[in-house]
Amino acid sequence: MASLTDLVNLSLSDTTEKIIAEYICHLAYVPELCSPLPLQLIFFLLLRKIILIWLVLVQTLSGPVTDPSKLPKWNYDGSSTGQAPGEDSEVILYPQAIFKDPFRRGNNILVMCDCYTPAGEPIPTNKRYNAAKIFSNPEVAAEEPWYGIEQEYTLLQKDTNWPLGWPIGGFPGPQGPYYCGIGADKSFGRDIVDAHYKACLYAGINISGINGEVMPGQWEFQVGPSVGISSGDQVWVARYILERITEIAGVVLTFDPKPIPGDWNGAGAHTNYSTKSMRNEGGYEVIKAAIEKLKLRHKEHIAAYGEGNERRLTGRHETADINTFSWGVANRGASVRVGRETEQNGKGYFEDRRPASNMDPYVVTSMIADTTILWKP
């Protein structure tokens, strides 16, 4: 008799050319939803520090597909997600990017989608649409913007919503030995982290590294360098894969920017950025000009850089104060950090340290490009 594990791991390619396509998109963070969710659901989500809601639909296709334009559009009931009224409830999924499925393997795929009305208009929570317009602008495309996003996150015990490895109702020793640490008393959840790393590589995501973070139970993965809109696609799918793996492990994943108040580091999504002009000779002057533009639009960027970021950007724990823009070379207490090597070489990249861990990568990446390339103060 086959076990459940045997059936889950069945290889379809032995018996059929058909494949499974898992269509995925993120709906919203709770505050962004177009119409109210039931109060009980909002309370449940906030209590568990889960503020990111996914939509997953799975269908069978007749054979392998590698081009998202060859995939069929799909629809779902938007009235069930607060995105459409009951009398006109269909929301249309447009396939935008394909990744190999590390869970089903074979020719099966994950499909990153964005959402539209039946008339073809992007719904309010579709942040990819405007990002794609910015990245398709000839001025932006000519600069080939590169992004490297450092995605921090925290693993929680399912039944207590307390960080993984922390004593129930108590606290571990002070921060210090946990950052990039090893050992059963310092590193919690490494099996999840390593599984995610390999799954992302299998899927075709340009994940470039992982590390344990300053607060125990907190980790980071890096995606990049990625060009333009693909950065957002890859970060979203990497997040999705991580959420699936933590589901299997029975652990809760949170992107809350300050999951534990007090003398504990928050979680960010530091965004490393460069353009062709910055990477070429004389690029350091281009970098400084770009940083000056970011300073002038500091309030606009902060407003778009994630929910609850004011709890994280306090001027402590390797952050700048949320109300004050600053930059410096090798300064991790600044809004924007320039690497020492970039200063020495006179070209390179810079790091925007303001985005929260729950930021929308479509919004952040496109906004940085818009401000530094297109905006004329």
Side-chain angles (χ1 to χ4, degrees):
M1 178 69 69
S3 68
L4 181 60
T5 300
D6 292 334
L7 295 172
V8 168
N9 292 326
L10 276 176
S11 174
L12 298 181
S13 58
D14 294 339
T15 58
T16 181
E17 293 183 357
K18 294 180 179 180
I19 69 162
I20 297 172
E22 185 156 298
Y23 281 41
I24 60 177
C25 70
H26 85 285
L27 297 183
Y29 296 103
V30 169
E32 293 183 3
L33 287 170
C34 308
S35 59
L37 285 174
L39 184 60
Q40 299 93 325
L41 179 56
I42 292 177
F43 177 75
F44 174 76
L45 292 167
L46 293 177
L47 178 68
R48 294 177 66 86
K49 296 184 181 290
I50 301 173
I51 56 176
L52 173 60
I53 304 174
W54 290 97
L55 180 87
V56 184
L57 297 97
V58 184
Q59 67 171 301
T60 303
L61 301 178
S62 59
V65 181
T66 57
D67 182 351
S69 68
K70 305 297 184 184
L71 289 168
K73 296 174 184 176
W74 209 357
N75 73 80
Y76 64 92
D77 175 13
S79 68
S80 294
T81 60
Q83 294 176 298
E87 63 272 13
D88 187 14
S89 63
E90 288 189 0
V91 176
I92 315 302
L93 290 167
Y94 285 32
Q96 299 292 358
I98 292 175
F99 298 85
K100 294 174 65 178
D101 186 340
F103 303 101
R104 298 183 178 93
R105 289 170 282 186
N107 291 321
N108 304 301
I109 55 176
L110 303 177
V111 183
M112 187 65 196
C113 303
D114 58 356
C115 302
Y116 296 80
T117 68
E121 296 295 324
I123 65 172
T125 54
N126 180 352
K127 307 302 183 185
R128 191 185 192 280
Y129 178 80
N130 283 329
K133 288 202 300 185
I134 290 171
F135 286 121
S136 64
N137 183 290
E139 287 185 65
V140 176
E143 283 289 351
E144 297 178 11
W146 290 4
Y147 297 91
I149 296 179
E150 305 170 26
Q151 176 66 71
E152 296 176 342
Y153 59 93
T154 308
L155 300 174
L156 305 177
Q157 301 168 59
K158 185 177 67 172
D159 296 327
T160 62
N161 296 299
W162 203 234
L164 199 65
W166 289 36
I168 302 301
F171 296 87
Q175 295 183 151
Y178 310 107
Y179 176 66
C180 299
I182 61 170
D185 59 341
K186 302 179 189 69
S187 179
F188 312 111
R190 189 181 298 277
D191 53 346
I192 293 171
V193 175
D194 282 346
H196 175 249
Y197 195 174
K198 292 180 179 179
C200 284
L201 288 172
Y202 180 92
I205 293 167
N206 192 25
I207 185 170
S208 48
I210 56 171
N211 62 268
E213 269 302 331
V214 177
M215 188 183 87
Q218 193 176 85
W219 293 83
E220 173 184 303
F221 65 88
Q222 302 95 35
V223 173
S226 307
V227 180
I229 196 70
S230 69
S231 177
D233 290 337
Q234 291 189 44
V235 169
W236 273 120
V237 176
R239 286 173 169 178
Y240 175 75
I241 291 172
L242 181 57
E243 188 97 53
R244 287 282 306 278
I245 290 172
T246 55
E247 172 191 324
I248 294 168
V251 171
V252 172
L253 167 67
T254 180
F255 293 109
D256 190 286
K258 186 73 172 179
I260 304 296
D263 195 17
W264 303 98
N265 273 38
H270 303 153
T271 301
N272 299 275
Y273 170 71
S274 71
T275 63
K276 183 186 291 186
S277 297
M278 296 174 189
R279 297 187 294 269
N280 289 339
E281 295 301 322
Y284 193 42
E285 294 304 313
V286 181
I287 288 172
K288 290 192 289 185
I291 293 173
E292 185 61 29
K293 284 186 171 184
L294 291 173
K295 177 182 178 180
L296 295 175
R297 295 187 76 185
H298 177 63
K299 288 184 178 180
E300 293 91 331
H301 279 256
I302 287 294
Y305 272 15
E307 298 288 339
N309 212 10
E310 71 283 351
R311 293 182 283 117
R312 168 180 162 261
L313 296 180
T314 62
R316 300 183 63 214
H317 305 111
E318 302 178 65
T319 71
D321 180 80
I322 194 169
N323 297 308
T324 306
F325 183 90
S326 60
W327 76 277
V329 176
N331 185 355
R332 283 180 163 78
S335 308
V336 171
R337 179 185 67 88
V338 174
R340 186 70 66 190
E341 187 176 8
T342 292
E343 180 192 44
Q344 292 170 348
N345 293 340
K347 59 183 178 180
Y349 70 96
F350 65 83
E351 174 194 43
D352 191 338
R353 297 180 58 81
R354 296 171 295 173
S357 51
N358 61 12
M359 63 82 161
D360 188 321
Y362 294 135
V363 173
V364 169
T365 56
S366 62
M367 194 172 193
I368 292 174
D370 180 59
T371 294
T372 60
I373 300 172
L374 298 178
W375 186 55
K376 305 296 189 286

